[in-house]
Amino acid sequence: MSQTPRHLLTLLDLTAAEARRLVQRAIELKRMVAEGVTYLPLAQRTLAMVFEKSSTRTRVSFEVGMAQFGGHALFLSPRDTQLGRGEPIEDSARVLSRMVDAVMLRTFDHDRIERFAAHSQVPVINGLTDRFHPCQLLADMQTYQEHRGSIQGRKVTFVGDGNNMCHSYINAARLFDFQLCIACPPGFDPDEDVLAGARDHCTLVRDPRVAAQGADLVVTDVWASMGQESEQNERAAVFADYCVDSKVMAFAKPDVLFMHCLPAHRGDEVSADVIDGPLSVVWDEACNRLHAQKALLELLIVGEPG
Ligand code: CP
Ligand code: NVA
């Protein structure tokens, strides 16, 4: 097993060329499943999935992806591992990485996954932290490519909280070379240090309608992320004008797409007619988590496909 494993803690762990190849590979792997091709590059391999927060899509897509590749995935939660009883994250990394071939971690502070990775002998994949959600972006980029072709030079609008999804869209704008217009309420802008490297790809405005003007893709996310449940009511008041509804979508291009990483709250960050309407590709987006992450697992565990 490699002593210098390759991790995916943020999208910027990939080069632009690798990120584009991953999306193409995800599309190819999806076609192989549809055609019933047997491809078992991870036979005898195991992925540990450590979830310190809830998940539906991330858990199921990684578990199914490992099964389709002939491998195995282990679901580990703090509720029933020593991690939940205070075993240091560094020790957990040392132990797990001596038994499995890769680890996916969903946690709170981004620092926690960095510490885990620093002590892991195998690749570590960020399955969401408070700061980033890179796997979701791989699926989103695949979904755009499938529906509309290259996203390079397109305009993407992110409406809502400057959170982990917004941060990952900022990184994606750099890697995939699109223009990102972000509309957040004052006090909820994305972090300066994430924006710093992406100034030529990002614009910040306050009005969602201004942000959506001429957009090829409109994206939003929850107003209160996991860990912010106690702020739900306060945030609902602050974000009241940040619902992506048909009035906001009307400012975008006629062939605009709508995405949301899910879970969604209809009537809050998105109206039901938008998320359930003809411009929405959220179900393809959710499904593509499986294929995009298979491409990622293949890259990190096996290396580039032959
Ligand atoms: N979008 C996403 O990561 O969903 P889950 O929280 O269900 O994994
Ligand atoms: N921003 C959300 C994304 C959920 C997939 C959260 O962190 O809860």
Side-chain angles (χ1 to χ4, degrees):
M1 207 160 287
S2 167
Q3 293 305 302
T4 52
R6 181 153 189 207
H7 306 303
L8 186 95
L9 305 190
T10 82
L11 280 181
L12 301 182
D13 288 327
L14 299 169
T15 66
E18 283 174 332
R20 286 167 207 200
R21 275 205 300 278
L22 258 182
V23 167
Q24 286 307 329
R25 183 62 178 159
I27 292 170
E28 202 175 312
L29 290 168
K30 184 175 183 177
R31 182 180 46 76
M32 285 161 66
V33 171
E35 291 174 356
V37 175
T38 302
Y39 178 56
L40 308 172
L42 298 186
Q44 311 294 327
R45 306 292 188 102
T46 303
L47 172 73
M49 307 187 301
V50 181
F51 282 96
E52 297 190 311
K53 289 174 173 171
S54 303
S55 170
T56 298
R57 282 144 286 269
T58 306
R59 176 180 176 178
V60 173
S61 53
F62 271 109
E63 193 160 336
V64 171
M66 284 302 292
Q68 290 185 354
F69 269 172
H72 182 71
L74 277 168
F75 173 75
L76 302 166
S77 95
R79 202 176 317 168
D80 35 41
T81 59
Q82 299 292 2
L83 207 48
R85 297 182 59 251
E87 183 165 14
I89 195 92
E90 293 83 356
D91 291 356
S92 302
R94 290 179 177 110
V95 172
L96 285 177
S97 72
R98 279 167 170 76
M99 290 190 256
V100 303
D101 298 282
V103 178
M104 187 242 77
L105 175 59
R106 169 169 283 197
T107 189
F108 292 86
D109 280 356
H110 191 73
D111 167 69
R112 211 165 151 74
I113 199 168
E114 288 178 338
R115 283 161 49 211
F116 191 104
H119 295 86
S120 171
Q121 296 188 356
V122 299
V124 175
I125 298 171
N126 182 354
L128 181 147
T129 62
D130 288 348
R131 242 162 106 71
F132 296 107
H133 195 6
C135 292
Q136 182 67 53
L137 262 291
L138 294 176
D140 288 18
M141 295 299 99
Q142 178 188 348
T143 308
Y144 191 88
Q145 175 77 34
E146 287 175 341
H147 282 269
R148 297 283 186 266
S150 174
I151 200 164
Q152 184 169 21
R154 304 288 185 150
K155 176 174 175 180
V156 179
T157 299
F158 184 95
V159 176
D161 188 16
N163 62 12
N164 45 11
M165 277 300 297
C166 183
H167 287 163
S168 287
Y169 260 94
I170 294 169
N171 285 345
R174 294 170 65 173
L175 273 189
F176 291 89
D177 191 23
F178 58 79
Q179 287 301 316
L180 179 64
C181 190
I182 302 164
C184 304
F188 294 87
D189 288 347
D191 291 352
E192 271 301 320
D193 60 328
V194 179
L195 269 175
R199 290 280 174 211
D200 49 347
H201 285 95
C202 297
T203 320
L204 257 65
V205 299
R206 293 290 171 223
D207 186 339
R209 290 164 302 181
V210 171
Q213 187 82 48
D216 297 287
L217 169 63
V218 175
V219 186
T220 189
D221 185 20
V222 292
W223 292 339
S225 287
M226 289 181 275
Q228 298 171 333
E229 288 79 4
S230 64
E231 299 170 30
Q232 185 87 46
N233 292 342
E234 186 192 324
R235 281 171 171 262
V238 175
F239 284 86
D241 294 333
Y242 288 79
C243 176
V244 175
D245 56 18
S246 52
K247 290 190 204 105
V248 170
M249 293 299 280
F251 283 85
K253 289 206 181 117
D255 66 344
V256 64
L257 296 177
F258 172 79
M259 292 192 201
H260 187 312
C261 64
L262 306 175
H265 303 80
R266 288 169 177 77
D268 284 352
E269 74 272 8
V270 60
S271 63
D273 62 330
V274 168
I275 195 168
D276 299 319
L279 304 174
S280 171
V281 288
V282 297
W283 313 121
D284 289 345
E285 182 188 3
C287 159
N288 282 338
R289 294 292 303 278
L290 169 62
H291 309 291
Q293 288 157 200
K294 283 175 71 182
L296 178 64
L297 288 165
E298 183 183 48
L299 174 69
L300 297 184
I301 303 177
V302 183
E304 295 272 351

